[in-house]
Amino acid sequence: MWSPDSQFILCGMYKRGITQVWSIEQPEWTCKIDEGSAGLESVCWSPDSRHILTFANFQLRITVWSLINKSVSYIKYPKQGKKMLDFTSDGSYMALAERRDCKDYISVFSCKQWQLMKHFETDTKDLAGLEWAPNGRALAVWDSILDYKLLLYSLDGRCLSTYSAYEWALGIKCVSWSPSSQFLAVGSFDEKVRLLNHLTWKVIIDFSHPPLLEGKAVVYKEIEKKLPSLQGEVDPPGGAVFTGSSHYEVVSERPAQIPVIKADPEKANPKIGVSLAVFSPDSKYLATRNDNMPCALWIWDIRQLALVAILLQAAPVKHLEWDPCQSRLAFCTGTNKVYMWSPAGALSVDVPVEASFLVQSLRWHPEGAAVLLMGRENMCMCFIDRDKNR
């Protein structure tokens, strides 16, 4: 993986417990890190691009390796999970969730000297994740799905607020800050997204995802043309279907029917509730996906606190990302197409490649001039025609 300043390339060989680093400006410079018997589970860069964090097997410890003076620091008791570590946007501080004596703690480190700045216990039963506000003034912490509890902490460990929408039911599924740090979106298993403000940490509004839609929101429905199957033709792996050209039609009927998939209550982590909530870079829009309505993408206007558009896809929405420079959303459904939405409308674009290419995820160029489309084994670059605003 690239370092944040694009000066180094890192390669983690997990089975061998080795990490290697190469310099772009000095090809003769190399670095090799061997975790030894502790093993290597994952590795990441620090924001300054001069330190590397390696995670030992079973989350036994985190090791901070300096590329400047070859110093080594150890952090014990890191908690196991996906969102247990986060850096402030300016790279000054790191928050780490820890588990000691069956209790949850958070340690705040200074990334300049890697010194412990604050260590405090959290009021959680089983901490599930944490995330800094973009301005670094608040740290959001949430409990496991068994207990709906959201806590806001300051940099010095003070609890700013505690919020719980309900009890005795599955709780928080996703948490997302707006780029302006003014709003915090909390998606939960009750199929709602609650919007909290940064002044009082109270709920401004909750966005529900009903199966029957009333109101003035624009409903776009994808209409695709199936390609005729040839005799003896085999469908591609994964059940994906290559289709011909598709387009959107506006559904004017009210109430509009949103396709719903019934969740299996006997399975762990049932496919229900809002697991995806992403703000646009200008904090004007919020895109959400309800897991038991996987083919529907909901677009909310934060200024009006109202739903402005729904995109009904032929296949479940897999990944989405906002243009970093404007209110334009790109997303994919695991097919040979990429989709875009903006306040001006929606469109579907076929990926013009000859080989079998199913878009699984995508990423915008920092300047919004191109989109990288990624499949399972290959990738494709999509350039944006700015003159035609496409």
Side-chain angles (χ1 to χ4, degrees):
M1 69 179 71
W2 287 96
S3 62
D5 63 359
S6 301
Q7 297 299 313
F8 299 93
I9 294 179
L10 180 150
C11 176
M13 293 169 279
Y14 299 146
K15 291 185 179 181
R16 297 170 58 186
I18 294 176
T19 301
Q20 288 188 283
V21 187
W22 294 271
S23 172
I24 301 300
E25 294 185 346
Q26 303 177 17
E28 67 278 2
W29 184 93
T30 59
C31 175
K32 182 179 179 181
I33 299 172
D34 192 343
E35 275 286 352
S37 59
L40 180 65
E41 185 172 287
S42 62
V43 60
C44 71
W45 285 100
S46 67
D48 65 358
S49 301
R50 297 299 180 268
H51 294 82
I52 296 173
L53 281 69
T54 58
F55 299 76
N57 287 336
F58 308 108
Q59 298 289 323
L60 296 177
R61 71 184 184 196
I62 296 177
T63 308
V64 183
W65 308 82
S66 173
L67 301 182
I68 301 175
N69 54 18
K70 300 182 181 180
S71 63
V72 180
S73 303
Y74 298 99
I75 303 175
K76 296 181 179 180
Y77 312 113
K79 187 166 185 179
Q80 196 166 11
K82 293 182 179 180
K83 295 185 177 182
M84 300 300 170
L85 179 149
D86 194 29
F87 295 94
T88 55
S89 57
D90 61 0
S92 299
Y93 301 99
M94 180 189 78
L96 175 69
E98 301 177 0
R99 187 74 173 178
R100 303 183 184 186
D101 302 324
C102 300
K103 295 181 180 180
D104 292 323
Y105 296 86
I106 290 178
S107 292
V108 179
F109 295 87
S110 170
C111 295
K112 292 183 179 180
Q113 302 296 330
W114 290 102
Q115 295 179 343
L116 179 64
M117 305 297 294
K118 195 68 179 180
H119 179 76
F120 56 92
E121 183 180 351
T122 62
D123 186 20
T124 55
K125 296 179 180 177
D126 185 11
L127 190 151
L130 53 81
E131 185 175 343
W132 286 105
N135 61 11
R137 296 180 180 178
L139 178 67
V141 177
W142 56 97
D143 216 328
S144 71
I145 61 173
L146 299 179
D147 187 16
Y148 193 121
K149 180 180 284 188
L150 177 74
L151 303 105
L152 283 306
Y153 289 96
S154 63
L155 187 61
D156 58 2
R158 291 180 294 110
C159 185
L160 302 175
S161 181
T162 301
Y163 174 72
S164 178
Y166 51 82
E167 296 180 340
W168 315 116
L170 294 179
I172 297 174
K173 202 165 188 180
C174 72
V175 174
S176 177
W177 285 97
S178 68
S180 64
S181 301
Q182 293 178 309
F183 305 103
L184 181 63
V186 184
S188 51
F189 279 87
D190 66 346
E191 304 179 48
K192 292 183 179 181
V193 174
R194 292 170 174 84
L195 207 62
L196 281 69
N197 72 85
H198 75 296
L199 298 176
T200 63
W201 303 115
K202 302 296 183 182
V203 175
I204 301 174
I205 193 174
D206 56 67
F207 297 135
S208 59
H209 299 71
L212 294 176
L213 181 67
E214 301 281 0
K216 299 180 180 180
V218 181
V219 180
Y220 297 96
K221 184 176 182 180
E222 182 189 8
I223 306 298
E224 60 181 10
K225 181 180 180 181
K226 299 286 185 180
L227 292 175
S229 300
L230 300 178
Q231 186 175 4
E233 186 178 11
V234 179
D235 289 337
V241 177
F242 289 90
T243 62
S245 60
S246 70
H247 64 278
Y248 284 107
E249 289 185 356
V250 177
V251 178
S252 57
E253 298 179 359
R254 292 294 184 274
Q257 181 74 38
I258 310 298
V260 179
I261 296 177
K262 186 176 181 181
D264 187 352
E266 296 184 358
K267 290 185 178 180
N269 298 320
K271 296 292 183 180
I272 187 173
V274 180
S275 65
L276 192 61
V278 185
F279 282 94
S280 62
D282 54 10
S283 301
K284 293 180 180 179
Y285 297 96
L286 174 68
T288 63
R289 185 197 63 199
N290 189 10
D291 284 352
N292 56 316
M293 302 176 182
C295 297
L297 186 61
W298 306 66
I299 312 292
W300 309 86
D301 190 326
I302 302 302
R303 296 165 297 180
Q304 301 178 6
L305 297 178
L307 181 69
V308 293
I310 295 182
L311 294 95
L312 302 179
Q313 302 298 128
V317 177
K318 284 202 167 186
H319 184 84
L320 64 87
E321 187 167 315
W322 287 95
D323 184 333
C325 299
Q326 58 179 291
S327 298
R328 178 168 52 187
L329 180 68
F331 61 98
C332 61
T333 60
T335 61
N336 59 328
K337 294 181 179 62
V338 61
Y339 306 90
M340 291 190 181
W341 176 90
S342 73
L347 60 85
S348 168
V349 181
D350 295 331
V351 180
V353 294
E354 297 180 357
S356 300
F357 185 79
L358 303 178
V359 185
Q360 302 296 326
S361 62
L362 52 86
R363 172 165 291 188
W364 280 93
H365 186 276
E367 298 178 357
V371 183
L372 179 64
L373 309 178
M374 291 169 280
R376 295 186 183 277
E377 299 179 352
N378 44 27
M379 59 184 180
C380 175
M381 186 70 73
C382 172
F383 294 94
I384 307 299
D385 189 341
R386 293 187 175 182
D387 294 334
K388 296 182 180 180
N389 195 27
R390 296 177 61 186

